[in-house]
Amino acid sequence: MKTERQILRRGWRMVALAAGVLFAGGNVFTSCTDYDLDERTPDGWGSSIYSWLDEQGNFTNTVRMIEDLGYKEVLAKTGSKTLFVADDAAYDRFFSNNSWGVASYDQLTVSQKKLLLFGSMLDNSMQLSTLPSVQGTPPTEGECMRRFASSSVYDSVSVLMPEQMPENRYWKYYRDKGTPMVCMTDNSVVPLLFFIEKQLANKRITNDDYNFLFNYTTNRQAGDASVNGVEVEEGNIKCSNGFIHRMAEVITPRPNMAELIASKPNTTVFNSLLERYCAPYPDRNPNDNGSVTQQYNYLYQANVDTVFTKRFFSDKSVGGAPLNQTPAGKAVLSTLKFDPEWNAYYAGLNNLEGNIAMQRDMAVMMVPSDEAMDAYWNGEDGEGSVLKDYYGSWDNVPDKVVAELINVNMLSSFITSVPSKFNNVLNDANDPMGLEKSMIDSVWLGCNGAVYLTKKVYTPTSYISVLFPALINETMQIIYWAVEDLQYNVYLNSLNAEYSFFIPTNKALLEYVDPVSYGKGKTQLYRFHYDPTKVNKTERVWASQWNYDLITRELGDSIGEIRDYGQIRNRLKDILETHIVIGNVEDGHKYYRTKSGAEIRVDNVELGVEGMTVAGSFQINEGDGFGNEAPIPVSVIYDQKSQGGNGKSYILEAGPILGTRKTVHDILNEHEEFSKFSELMAGSSLYETIRDNAYACGGTNISLFNTYHYSVYVPTNESIEELQRTGKLPTWEAVSAATEAGDLTGATRDSLAIENFLRYHIQDNALFIDAAPESGDFETALIDPSTKRFYRISASSEGNQIVLYDNAKSEEPSRVVTTEVNGKKLYNLMAREYMYNNKDASLANGIETTSSAVVHLIDKPLFYKK
């Protein structure tokens, strides 16, 4: 049989549902802007909030509170307030069991009374149906889940004893001092948390999600409403100066996530890691009138020197700004995703008016229990061995590494992180995190987010990915800065692919030959440096710039420092993309394509660190400056795949992988065996030194190239001469003669024939001898005018040969010549072609784009038609 309370609750719930439909259909919303309650009382409205409570006779605790705090005049007259109030029976239950340790009203302190009264009040007049609406014209329904209460940041200010202070370097002085500290947990008002039908439905939060959030102590039904987790017993009690909503129990302010985690006895390990990133920030001007310190002293009749605020180093703190400085103003190198102490946390960008962003969402933190943390570190499955074997204890794990663990467990949006949406929660590699309700022990709701107590440790993939060595080694700070700044961490952490990541150390990055200088009179060298004292992350990497002799490999004059963020980022992107290979470079081949599209050569993998080398086109073409190749030795190998990760990392200390300054034009001109093809190219329109009158080239580039990788097939001199001798391929001499004779039609025809011949020997996709087998129909640079599509070559590369079948269906395919010609190997010749960000190469300071190519000698020409 239903109790009277259940009947009353069901009755108002149905009224609320009906009202919601009515208001939705009529586009009517009740808020503080609908009635000027400070000036007049709307017709038909009843007593004031204070009078109604006093008249009922069973709200004596609340009435006493109003009187004791001097708020009777406000709530007895016109105004705009909303009060969530509990009756005396609810207070009896509260006094019999609460975390404050008070057993009666008389034991409440002034601060506690303020928290109970003002912490359950809003400074405007709102019905339940309008609580989920955010301001606007018209208001947006179903978006609001939090609103600032009427409380003040001064209503309850903590006084921390030394033993209560976090144990880290920033608090050590105050702990050792041995005196109490007046410290706000956050210098912002605590919001109230609402779960109202319209908002839950709009955000697709199910009743089961709701019950999960309250640890299945509830059985939510349609129309139920709760505030701070307390169910509304009777809503929308209309008063002359606002609304009263009668609650099932007493509402108390909810702490923020940081304080929740710190207060729990079973999250001490995680909390000790979390609190590494917090510090006490003193009131900057404690003696100024209106300062936090002066306000505190006035309100509490105190005489403290300084009031502090506890804050966490984070990318998003109070006001949405990053907090990356210590209280002393020094740079913080490791930050959290957001500040868990910030009561007014909001997801996304706060580009909305007022506090709308705060109202719409909050955060989630997944916190492993102490038992889960112990199982991770000491368990038989060895999951935590990646850290334990390297560091020995949690105390030795650097802040930067710990931050990865905490950040992957910080979920920016509560709305998208409830159980019905667990499949869409992503980790640091943007892969599904694999959340399961069975792995969550319990939930604690805070004022700025929910804390999920987990039975396992959800670790970042960076602990087992190819990025891990750069994360843990300070000798690789520069490349790690680049990875984070260019947001390649998501890419390199992904477990959906296998990577070979060549990581240049800080020392190696002292030897970066600047490809932008290839188009200038003198070659220049960048020496990259890392400055950890810079507060602004974008300023931490800089480079000294030197003239550099490519023959002697000697440094010339220092010509300045590069501190421009754009220039540094531009070069490091070039470096980074040339050091990433998708795949396994130990699979038995030699040539591998990097993310930049350029190829690298890997040798002696069977020797490991005793002889394995890698070479870019610079190390192969320019070599040591005296005609010898200069591959880079691999000094350390990290096998992340054996840890369940995504590949191997190869550490380079001697220098970075570099791109050659040689273009296809250069390659053709330095080999007599390519002379006939080179002559044809020289007379064509296929070379350029500037693109679109905007981008200077690093040399004489092929105008057909466009940020990709290409194969250039060069027929032997003899085969080209045979075509010309038999009249199948015109010569530029014949074109000149026709022009001089006035035969412009013939000249145009022959010129087009030569260029078409050349275009058909330039193919998209760089195919290498001794690379992974690759076959297919590849587009050339020649368009078929009848189809408006590119003519294709059917090519197959496998082992030590590349076989080419042309579009003319020639009886025999063309083949790459793999035997030495005049003592030279004329295949796998690598070129790189740069374009710069200025039409004047001498003024350029950035790489606009690059293309790479491989040049092969082939035994016979290719024909696009018979």
Side-chain angles (χ1 to χ4, degrees):
M1 185 173 179
K2 294 184 178 179
T3 64
E4 180 182 358
R5 173 177 292 177
Q6 288 173 316
I7 294 171
L8 283 171
R9 187 182 305 163
R10 174 62 63 183
W12 88 258
R13 180 190 301 145
M14 299 311 295
V15 171
L17 279 171
V21 173
L22 173 62
F23 286 128
N27 202 25
V28 177
F29 299 90
T30 302
S31 69
C32 58
T33 59
D34 292 312
Y35 298 101
D36 192 358
L37 296 177
D38 290 323
E39 300 296 330
R40 65 184 179 85
T41 301
D43 294 337
W45 283 43
S47 305
S48 69
I49 291 174
Y50 174 82
S51 298
W52 188 90
L53 292 171
D54 191 36
E55 291 165 2
Q56 303 308 302
N58 61 336
F59 292 95
T60 59
N61 288 281
T62 302
V63 170
R64 284 183 66 185
M65 221 173 287
I66 293 170
E67 294 171 348
D68 289 352
L69 296 175
Y71 218 63
K72 176 180 176 180
E73 288 298 305
V74 176
L75 294 181
K77 293 184 177 181
T78 56
S80 299
K81 299 293 180 182
T82 299
L83 189 63
F84 303 94
V85 64
D87 60 20
D88 291 342
Y91 266 97
D92 288 342
R93 293 190 293 275
F94 172 76
F95 289 131
S96 68
N97 181 23
N98 61 77
S99 61
W100 295 355
V102 294
S104 67
Y105 180 89
D106 293 331
Q107 293 180 10
L108 290 171
T109 64
V110 172
S111 289
Q112 289 170 340
K113 292 175 184 177
K114 289 180 178 180
L115 292 176
L116 291 172
L117 179 63
F118 301 126
S120 58
M121 184 187 299
L122 298 176
D123 285 333
N124 46 23
S125 176
M126 305 197 77
Q127 300 181 65
L128 285 174
S129 61
T130 59
L131 282 174
S133 299
V134 297
Q135 67 188 43
T137 308
T140 305
E141 298 182 63
E143 289 289 329
C144 180
M145 67 179 298
R146 291 190 297 162
R147 293 182 184 276
F148 285 126
S150 302
S151 54
S152 160
V153 295
Y154 300 101
D155 286 348
S156 179
V157 182
S158 301
V159 178
L160 295 180
M161 303 306 292
E163 63 273 13
Q164 295 174 308
M165 299 175 191
E167 296 186 49
N168 69 35
R169 75 192 91 164
Y170 308 107
W171 295 81
K172 185 177 186 303
Y173 169 80
Y174 303 101
R175 287 177 63 90
D176 293 346
K177 189 177 179 182
T179 56
M181 171 194 286
V182 177
C183 185
M184 294 182 171
T185 54
D186 181 52
N187 192 13
S188 63
V189 175
V190 176
L192 281 165
L193 175 62
F194 305 101
F195 288 112
I196 311 293
E197 184 71 32
K198 191 175 291 293
Q199 185 263 346
L200 294 173
N202 185 51
K203 296 303 180 182
R204 295 181 175 84
I205 298 176
T206 68
N207 285 347
D208 185 70
D209 290 334
Y210 179 92
N211 294 333
F212 164 84
L213 296 170
F214 292 95
N215 302 301
Y216 289 99
T217 59
T218 58
N219 182 25
R220 189 181 187 281
Q221 303 296 313
D224 283 356
S226 67
V227 181
N228 272 18
V230 178
E231 190 169 356
V232 178
E233 290 252 318
E234 181 183 1
N236 302 330
I237 300 170
K238 185 171 59 175
C239 297
S240 62
N241 55 348
F243 283 98
I244 292 173
H245 305 292
R246 188 166 64 84
M247 309 304 296
E249 303 295 344
V250 175
I251 290 178
T252 55
R254 288 193 172 269
N256 57 51
M257 291 181 290
E259 296 308 307
L260 268 175
I261 296 165
S263 70
K264 302 299 180 180
N266 55 345
T267 57
T268 58
V269 178
F270 189 89
N271 185 62
S272 68
L273 300 178
L274 179 66
E275 290 198 330
R276 286 189 187 189
Y277 304 89
C278 72
Y281 285 79
D283 184 1
R284 289 299 181 190
N285 301 292
N287 297 319
D288 289 358
N289 289 332
S291 70
V292 172
T293 301
Q294 291 299 316
Q295 287 288 325
Y296 174 85
N297 284 336
Y298 171 76
L299 291 169
Y300 287 90
Q301 297 298 296
N303 189 31
V304 301
D305 293 333
T306 303
V307 172
F308 293 80
T309 303
K310 181 182 177 184
R311 298 180 65 188
F312 281 76
F313 311 134
S314 53
D315 297 333
K316 190 174 188 179
S317 187
V318 176
L323 181 62
N324 51 15
Q325 294 185 65
T326 68
K330 294 183 178 180
V332 175
L333 301 183
S334 303
T335 53
L336 303 180
K337 188 182 294 184
F338 55 76
D339 186 345
E341 197 84 39
W342 178 28
N343 294 336
Y345 167 84
Y346 56 80
L349 300 173
N350 190 11
N351 53 1
L352 304 167
E353 295 182 11
N355 297 303
I356 293 177
M358 180 279 297
Q359 294 174 356
R360 284 180 162 168
D361 205 352
M362 55 184 189
V364 169
M365 285 188 68
M366 300 193 302
V367 178
S369 67
D370 289 343
E371 184 180 358
M373 291 291 280
D374 180 69
Y376 171 76
W377 194 261
N378 299 310
E380 295 180 0
D381 60 5
E383 190 177 1
S385 62
V386 64
L387 297 181
K388 185 178 180 180
D389 293 348
Y390 200 86
Y391 297 110
S393 71
W394 279 114
D395 290 341
N396 297 330
V397 182
D399 291 348
K400 182 170 72 170
V401 180
V402 171
E404 292 283 310
L405 173 65
I406 296 174
N407 284 336
V408 81
N409 285 281
M410 285 183 143
L411 308 181
S412 299
S413 170
F414 166 83
I415 295 294
T416 61
S417 303
V418 292
S420 62
K421 303 172 186 177
F422 274 176
N423 289 340
N424 298 322
V425 177
L426 305 179
N427 61 18
D428 54 329
N430 276 354
D431 295 326
M433 198 158 185
L435 296 187
E436 298 175 355
K437 281 202 299 184
S438 61
M439 287 294 102
I440 296 175
D441 177 86
S442 51
V443 180
W444 306 315
L445 280 173
C447 68
N448 59 351
V451 176
Y452 295 170
L453 180 67
T454 63
K455 300 176 185 178
K456 63 172 287 186
V457 178
Y458 288 90
T459 56
T461 57
S462 59
Y463 283 4
I464 56 174
S465 77
V466 291
L467 188 56
F468 184 65
L471 170 66
I472 64 174
N473 287 294
E474 292 188 359
T475 61
M476 304 171 199
Q477 287 170 313
I478 296 172
I479 200 68
Y480 191 78
W481 179 93
V483 168
E484 286 199 315
D485 185 74
L486 293 162
Q487 297 182 355
Y488 274 42
N489 45 345
V490 172
Y491 181 80
L492 290 169
N493 284 335
S494 175
L495 301 182
N496 292 324
E498 181 176 1
Y499 297 100
S500 297
F501 186 25
F502 293 89
I503 305 178
T505 62
N506 296 347
K507 177 185 175 184
L509 290 174
L510 295 172
E511 307 295 334
Y512 176 69
V513 180
D514 181 20
V516 176
S517 68
Y518 292 165
K520 301 179 180 181
K522 291 184 178 180
T523 306
Q524 293 162 356
L525 187 83
Y526 273 28
R527 298 200 137 178
F528 287 97
H529 305 275
Y530 186 82
D531 185 353
T533 67
K534 294 294 185 182
V535 172
N536 190 336
K537 287 183 179 179
T538 63
E539 298 176 354
R540 288 179 190 160
V541 175
W542 62 281
S544 55
Q545 190 177 23
W546 306 74
N547 285 327
Y548 188 62
D549 191 319
L550 278 181
I551 303 300
T552 64
R553 300 301 161 91
E554 293 180 350
L555 281 180
D557 296 331
S558 171
I559 55 177
E561 295 180 351
I562 305 297
R563 294 187 180 271
D564 180 78
Y565 170 60
Q567 284 183 246
I568 294 296
R569 200 169 188 259
N570 179 264
R571 302 309 195 279
L572 285 171
K573 182 179 181 182
D574 173 60
I575 293 170
L576 188 57
E577 292 193 342
T578 309
H579 286 71
I580 299 171
V581 173
I582 302 173
N584 175 16
V585 298
E586 298 184 27
D587 64 0
H589 303 288
K590 286 186 178 295
Y591 289 88
Y592 298 89
R593 186 169 299 140
T594 65
K595 192 177 187 305
S596 69
E599 217 82 6
I600 59 173
R601 194 185 72 205
V602 180
D603 293 298
N604 306 321
V605 295
E606 71 281 358
L607 299 179
V609 295
E610 300 299 323
M612 180 179 175
T613 62
V614 61
S617 53
F618 181 94
Q619 279 81 23
I620 294 171
N621 291 351
E622 282 80 4
D624 61 2
F626 298 98
N628 304 306
E629 294 184 1
I632 308 165
V634 172
S635 58
V636 183
I637 300 174
Y638 288 82
D639 185 2
Q640 296 303 96
K641 200 167 184 180
S642 66
Q643 300 287 337
N646 59 356
K648 288 188 177 182
S649 307
Y650 303 90
I651 311 306
L652 308 179
E653 294 183 349
I657 299 169
L658 298 172
T660 182
R661 70 181 302 159
K662 292 184 179 180
T663 64
V664 171
H665 172 269
D666 298 328
I667 298 291
L668 295 177
N669 282 345
E670 69 183 18
H671 295 286
E672 174 60 29
E673 295 80 4
F674 297 153
S675 61
K676 294 303 176 181
F677 191 84
S678 182
E679 288 172 8
L680 294 176
M681 287 290 295
S684 74
S685 63
L686 304 184
Y687 281 140
E688 65 180 359
T689 56
I690 185 170
R691 172 77 58 89
D692 298 333
N693 198 33
Y695 309 107
C697 300
T700 301
N701 289 4
I702 291 181
S703 60
L704 306 171
F705 289 179
N706 188 21
T707 319
Y708 199 59
H709 50 90
Y710 303 87
S711 296
V712 179
Y713 300 117
V714 182
T716 63
N717 290 339
E718 294 77 14
S719 65
I720 293 176
E721 288 174 333
E722 176 65 16
L723 291 177
Q724 292 171 335
R725 185 185 64 80
T726 58
K728 295 178 181 178
L729 179 66
T731 64
W732 288 119
E733 290 79 3
V735 172
S736 296
T739 302
E740 291 174 4
D743 182 10
L744 298 182
T745 301
T748 301
R749 179 195 64 231
D750 289 349
S751 177
L752 181 61
I754 295 173
E755 293 216 358
N756 285 349
F757 175 82
L758 295 171
R759 284 173 175 267
Y760 193 63
H761 286 78
I762 298 173
Q763 169 200 291
D764 288 359
N765 288 83
L767 301 182
F768 279 77
I769 300 290
D770 208 2
E774 195 169 356
S775 62
D777 293 334
F778 300 102
E779 291 182 344
T780 67
L782 179 62
I783 292 179
D784 181 348
S786 65
T787 64
K788 306 300 182 184
R789 295 181 179 179
F790 290 99
Y791 281 110
R792 294 174 178 266
I793 296 172
S794 180
S796 175
S797 69
E798 186 169 0
N800 294 318
Q801 187 52 266
I802 297 176
V803 181
L804 308 169
Y805 297 88
D806 60 25
N807 193 68
K809 309 299 182 185
S810 299
E811 292 183 6
E812 290 294 328
S814 300
R815 299 176 186 273
V816 171
V817 177
T818 57
T819 56
E820 290 190 359
V821 180
N822 299 323
K824 295 183 288 186
K825 294 179 179 179
L826 297 176
Y827 61 91
N828 286 1
L829 303 180
M830 302 162 74
R832 190 102 184 255
E833 303 198 348
Y834 293 88
M835 284 197 301
Y836 307 133
N837 63 352
N838 194 298
K839 64 180 180 180
D840 185 341
S842 66
L843 300 177
N845 61 15
I847 302 168
E848 185 67 26
T849 187
T850 72
S851 296
S852 59
V854 60
V855 179
H856 299 293
L857 181 69
I858 59 175
D859 60 1
K860 58 190 289 290
L862 299 163
F863 299 97
Y864 58 93
K865 64 180 180 180
K866 291 185 179 180

